[in-house]
Amino acid sequence: GDSVTQMEGPVTLSEEAFLTINCTYTATGYPSLFWYVQYPGEGLQLLLKATKADDKGSNKGFEATYRKETTSFHLEKGSVQVSDSAVYFCALSDRGATNKLIFGTGTLLAVQP
Amino acid sequence: DGGITQSPKYLFRKEGQNVTLSCEQNLNHDAMYWYRQDPGQGLRLIYYSQIVNDFQKGDIAEGYSVSREKKESFPLTVTSAQKNPTAFYLCASRHQESTEAFFGQGTRLTVV
């Protein structure tokens, strides 16, 4: 079945460092891809999305490009801030009848001042 | 404001008791989902519903039950048959024409 694999954390960075969180997927069709962010004790918020190959999603300085040839959707940010500390989830949505969201295990990012 | 509301935020129950978690949305979304989150395991799908009066089991439905009597509401009951119910539960909803899901703030259930 469809699945998402993302790099394990925690990822610890200093403020203003460059961030990459790797995400790869397995899907039989052409899924939509997402990054969600979860702050402590809260639900998930959509960070960005891409619905077809070569699309780039971007929001709040974060970017991710839908790479069909490598089945990847890596999250990047050029300069992280302490306020970016959170858990980041990569997810895909199949386009079948169920339209379910399938999540990776999450990556904890800790940014130190 | 439109949104999805889960209540309560924290819930404590004794072992062997059933407990119901509330999820309400006023976004006019057709589909609703329940996920369970455990440390290091990401989110796992419990149940989902695409229309009123219809729902399907997800990957870990055993020990849980749901109902979808109204479009706005999708309550989850954690029964005494659920062997390890302590977890963070997240409800989500999505419009039929959209790929994007919106999440509630979650309910942290602790069974003692």
Side-chain angles (χ1 to χ4, degrees), chain B residues 35-90:
Chain B
Y35 289 88
R36 170 181 170 136
Q37 185 178 19
D38 296 283
Q41 294 194 46
L43 278 72
R44 294 182 290 168
L45 182 63
I46 304 172
Y47 268 98
Y48 62 101
S49 167
Q50 299 191 83
I51 55 172
V52 174
N53 292 323
D54 187 46
F55 47 83
Q56 287 79 40
K57 293 181 179 180
D59 301 317
I60 55 164
E62 186 176 350
Y64 299 97
S65 66
V66 293
S67 63
R68 187 85 186 277
E69 297 176 1
K70 298 186 300 182
K71 189 175 186 178
E72 302 79 20
S73 179
F74 191 41
L76 173 74
T77 296
V78 184
T79 75
S80 56
Q82 167 52 231
K83 293 187 183 357
N84 186 19
T86 294
F88 190 51
Y89 291 87
L90 286 161

Side-chain angles (χ1 to χ4, degrees), chain A residues 32 34 36 38 41-46 49 51 87 89 93-106, chain B residues 9-10 33 35 37 40-43 45 48 50 59 88 90 94-96 98-106 108:
Chain A
S32 294
F34 307 85
Y36 281 85
Q38 184 180 36
E42 297 186 7
L44 274 66
Q45 301 173 28
L46 179 67
K49 67 177 181 181
T51 57
V87 180
F89 290 92
S93 173
D94 68 23
R95 295 180 191 266
T98 60
N99 226 2
K100 293 184 294 184
L101 271 175
I102 297 167
F103 287 88
T105 53
Chain B
K9 191 173 175 68
Y10 299 97
Y33 306 81
Y35 289 88
Q37 185 178 19
Q41 294 194 46
L43 278 72
L45 182 63
Y48 62 101
Q50 299 191 83
D59 301 317
F88 190 51
L90 286 161
R94 172 153 60 184
H95 191 275
Q96 192 174 21
S98 172
T99 58
E100 178 181 341
F102 291 82
F103 282 80
Q105 293 295 293
R108 185 165 299 282

Side-chain angles (χ1 to χ4, degrees), chain A residues 6-42:
Chain A
Q6 62 182 105
M7 67 188 284
E8 292 191 15
V11 173
T12 303
L13 296 173
S14 298
E15 208 165 18
E16 299 184 2
F18 184 85
L19 168 71
T20 299
I21 301 178
N22 291 336
C23 171
T24 57
Y25 67 90
T26 301
T28 51
Y30 300 95
S32 294
L33 301 174
F34 307 85
W35 277 101
Y36 281 85
V37 59
Q38 184 180 36
Y39 298 102
E42 297 186 7

